[in-house]
Amino acid sequence: KAGVTQTPRYLIKTRGQQVTLSCSPISGHRSVSWYQQTPGQGLQFLFEYFSETQRNKGNFPGRFSGRQFSNSRSEMNVSTLELGDSALYLCASSSNGEWEITDTQYFGPGTRLTVL
Amino acid sequence: GQQVMQIPQYQHVQEGEDFTTYCNSSTTLSNIQWYKQRPGGHPVFLIQLVKSGEVKKQKRLTFQFGEAKKNSSLHITATQTTDVGTYFCAGMGDSGGSNYKLTFGKGTLLTVNP
């Protein structure tokens, strides 16, 4: 099976702009989670989607949003970019079912976002 | 909210020495997972522990889950240069109801001198 893919791999934006990142999960996986990774804060959970519904979200401002499509592909959007949004954004999929919450996370290669 | 502390932040060892990283949660966990991230790479799942007091081994790696399900450790025996990377623990809360998020520790960066 192909792994989790993320596009684009690298992105440079300026403050105030918005950005959309894309994630395609492993075939058959319906759960997609997004994480922000920075040297100072480590891996921080953004949100998780299952069957097009956001099941849980972390402690990020409303500028960070996401969605999931019927084919389980997911996008996350960051509006009004700030310098502090520079980070590696990782998407992870799992085979969690509707009532399963503890399965392995398979991470994609990430999108490296730089905000100037 | 749930917090997961991981120590040490960095560890440098000579090849052949042992290495241990520790993970402590502020709340009881339903399970804990361990991941490894090579430099420039993405986290890769290593193992999941679910039961109180559970111990699992993968070749030179030994994982333990504490009796109270609030702490865990990863021990590597006789490190090799291929063990270089950042090791993360990630805990799933045990608060009941829906809680579909993993809380990651900040990781331990292991470097190995050949």
Side-chain angles (χ1 to χ4, degrees):
Chain A
K1 277 186 181 177
V4 177
T5 58
Q6 291 186 247
T7 57
R9 293 293 310 277
Y10 302 92
L11 206 50
I12 299 175
K13 293 285 188 179
T14 56
R15 279 181 298 174
Q17 288 186 307
Q18 75 165 21
V19 66
T20 299
L21 312 181
S22 181
C23 171
S24 292
I26 290 172
S27 177
H29 286 189
R30 295 162 65 189
S31 168
V32 175
S33 298
W34 287 90
Y35 297 85
Q36 181 195 65
Q37 186 173 33
T38 58
Q41 297 299 318
L43 267 164
Q44 293 188 286
F45 172 80
L46 281 154
F47 26 66
E48 189 245 2
Y49 285 87
F50 179 86
S51 289
E52 302 177 65
T53 300
Q54 188 182 88
R55 286 204 294 197
N56 209 345
K57 71 188 299 288
N59 299 318
F60 278 80
R63 300 185 296 108
F64 293 82
S65 63
R67 60 177 176 168
Q68 187 180 35
F69 302 94
S70 58
N71 62 358
S72 294
R73 189 177 69 85
S74 177
E75 289 181 347
M76 69 162 281
N77 183 275
V78 188
S79 62
T80 319
L81 284 166
E82 300 177 0
L83 294 178
D85 296 333
S86 294
L88 180 66
Y89 289 88
L90 291 160
C91 162
S93 76
S94 78
S95 59
N96 283 338
E98 184 174 359
W99 304 111
E100 295 167 328
I101 62 172
T102 61
D103 214 341
T104 303
Q105 302 274 296
Y106 294 89
F107 284 87
T111 294
R112 173 75 59 186
L113 172 64
T114 302
V115 182
L116 302 176
Chain B
Q2 180 180 304
Q3 291 186 327
V4 175
M5 307 299 293
Q6 194 173 351
I7 57 170
Q9 192 174 356
Y10 307 98
Q11 184 77 60
H12 178 74
V13 299
Q14 289 291 127
E15 190 171 23
E17 292 182 336
D18 292 355
F19 159 76
T20 305
T21 174
Y22 301 90
C23 196
N24 287 288
S25 169
S26 58
T27 59
T28 303
L29 301 170
S30 62
N31 74 81
I32 194 157
Q33 300 178 8
W34 285 90
Y35 292 80
K36 176 184 178 182
Q37 184 173 21
R38 294 182 184 275
H42 56 274
V44 174
F45 175 80
L46 292 176
I47 208 159
Q48 176 175 272
L49 304 172
V50 179
K51 300 177 184 176
S52 168
E54 189 169 15
V55 178
K56 287 188 176 180
K57 293 190 175 185
Q58 288 181 350
K59 298 182 180 179
R60 295 177 294 103
L61 278 61
T62 302
F63 304 84
Q64 293 188 319
F65 200 9
E67 294 290 341
K69 300 183 74 173
K70 294 181 71 174
N71 59 76
S72 182
S73 66
L74 157 60
H75 179 81
I76 302 179
T77 304
T79 54
Q80 300 174 359
T81 54
T82 53
D83 295 325
V84 165
T86 301
Y87 292 84
F88 294 95
C89 61
M92 180 76 71
D94 189 21
S95 58
S98 297
N99 189 11
Y100 302 112
K101 61 179 179 179
L102 285 173
T103 301
F104 279 79
K106 291 198 174 183
T108 297
L109 172 60
L110 171 65
T111 55
V112 179
N113 198 29

